[in-house]
Amino acid sequence: CVLTAEQLCDGLTCPSPGSCVDVHWSPGCSDADCCHAICALDAVCCFTAWDSICVEEAQRLCGVGMCTIDIPIDAVSEDEPCYDHLNDGCNTNVLGQPMIEVALPSTRTGKYSTGSPRDTDWYRFTINTPRRVRMELTAEFPGQLLLVQGACYGPIETLDQSYGNPCVATAIETCLDPGTYMCVVSGGVPSRNFRGAFTCDEIDPDAPPPDPNDPPPVPSPYGLRYVLRLSAGGCLLGDLNGDGMVGQTDLAILLGSWGGSGAADLDGDGIVGSADLAILLGGWSG
């Protein structure tokens, strides 16, 4: 019904009275471009009310257009067509809740699309000693990154979460006790998961396109691709090789990562540089 209404009623709600960055209990808002952008992601905003979540989405995403990320040559693909659900973990009732097993460090890439069930990519890793783990997501869409522990049928707990705008890296970095954890990649903003609008760009051979005279699917407002970087070091800040000390080996790792990202990005600004070197030298222990 929503998709039909969007096709038949396009332009009737956008623009509408009310600022896009203020809550009002009528649908739509006064900036037509912003209104269309948010309603493409969240139909509630154009069919019910411009609530606080619509305002949050507008503040984060209005004026943010499509962008393209570079996929590192060493990135391993999730190998999941975007029309399928092969690694949706606890978000699916498929027997065994399939996940991607990874060993740290690892760089992964994949696609995010919406449908039923909502697409989520689950990466599971195990650490045997206390480690400072860093998970960094760069996506062409508004990305959601979760750190989860537990069993799908309970108890399960979200330990941390982070959100990033298109083509802007977002990361979770924390010291973890020995155990098994899951890193989950999806799309959304802090108050809402995206369940529509991200159209798969691959043809499902089991569900080919309908009549060629039918209109094509509405394209996604953002790209679908992402890069996930997983790395681990010691819980002592600056202990990049996990030997319990900050020393020459850690310095070599940092210098080898200079200008890049990953575990050596000690201040979390997205790039390894002089500030990270200062942090490492400040924790020097031999």
Side-chain angles (χ1 to χ4, degrees):
C1 297
V2 169
L3 292 176
T4 303
E6 286 176 344
Q7 293 170 0
L8 298 179
C9 305
D10 184 40
L12 297 183
T13 306
C14 298
S16 291
S19 169
C20 296
V21 293
D22 292 320
V23 172
H24 48 274
W25 301 114
S26 57
C29 66
S30 57
D31 184 324
D33 290 339
C34 181
C35 181
H36 279 296
I38 299 307
C39 290
L41 299 172
D42 191 346
V44 170
C45 300
C46 269
F47 289 91
T48 305
W50 199 267
D51 61 16
S52 60
I53 298 177
C54 303
V55 169
E56 175 192 341
E57 292 167 337
Q59 291 173 331
R60 293 179 66 95
L61 299 175
C62 281
V64 178
M66 292 189 70
C67 61
T68 302
I69 62 173
D70 294 325
I71 306 299
I73 192 171
D74 63 335
V76 178
S77 174
E78 64 167 329
D79 200 26
E80 177 197 54
C82 56
Y83 55 77
D84 214 338
H85 295 275
L86 304 179
N87 53 29
D88 282 38
C90 298
N91 197 46
T92 179
N93 58 6
V94 174
L95 183 64
Q97 286 81 37
M99 305 182 191
I100 299 174
E101 304 289 344
V102 294
L104 308 183
S106 182
T107 301
R108 299 283 170 153
T109 185
K111 288 182 179 180
Y112 165 74
S113 65
T114 47
S116 181
R118 183 173 67 91
D119 185 26
T120 52
D121 294 341
W122 291 64
Y123 297 88
R124 181 164 52 197
F125 61 92
T126 299
I127 54 176
N128 298 318
T129 60
R131 304 299 302 273
R132 179 175 293 277
V133 174
R134 179 178 175 86
M135 295 157 285
E136 180 181 291
L137 174 68
T138 306
E140 295 174 342
F141 51 87
Q144 177 193 66
L145 184 64
L146 305 178
L147 173 62
V148 176
Q149 185 178 36
C152 289
Y153 294 112
I156 189 167
E157 179 182 7
T158 298
L159 303 177
D160 205 349
Q161 56 189 311
S162 184
Y163 297 83
N165 274 7
C167 295
V168 177
T170 185
I172 294 173
E173 184 171 349
T174 185
C175 190
L176 297 175
D177 292 328
T180 297
Y181 301 85
M182 286 83 77
C183 176
V184 185
V185 175
S186 190
V189 294
S191 299
R192 183 108 67 199
N193 297 324
F194 293 147
R195 300 180 181 274
F198 291 85
T199 309
C200 179
D201 59 1
E202 302 173 53
I203 296 176
D204 184 351
D206 295 325
D211 189 318
N213 295 321
D214 288 347
V218 177
S220 297
Y222 299 101
L224 305 179
R225 303 181 305 163
Y226 68 84
V227 173
L228 175 66
R229 294 179 174 87
L230 303 168
S231 56
C235 284
L236 178 63
L237 190 60
D239 177 18
L240 301 179
N241 69 341
D243 65 356
M245 299 188 302
V246 179
Q248 293 184 3
T249 302
D250 306 299
L251 177 60
I253 294 173
L254 186 146
L255 295 177
S257 303
W258 197 269
S261 59
D265 177 21
L266 300 176
D267 66 349
D269 67 353
I271 189 168
V272 178
S274 57
D276 306 299
L277 177 59
I279 292 173
L280 186 145
L281 295 177
W284 195 271
S285 56

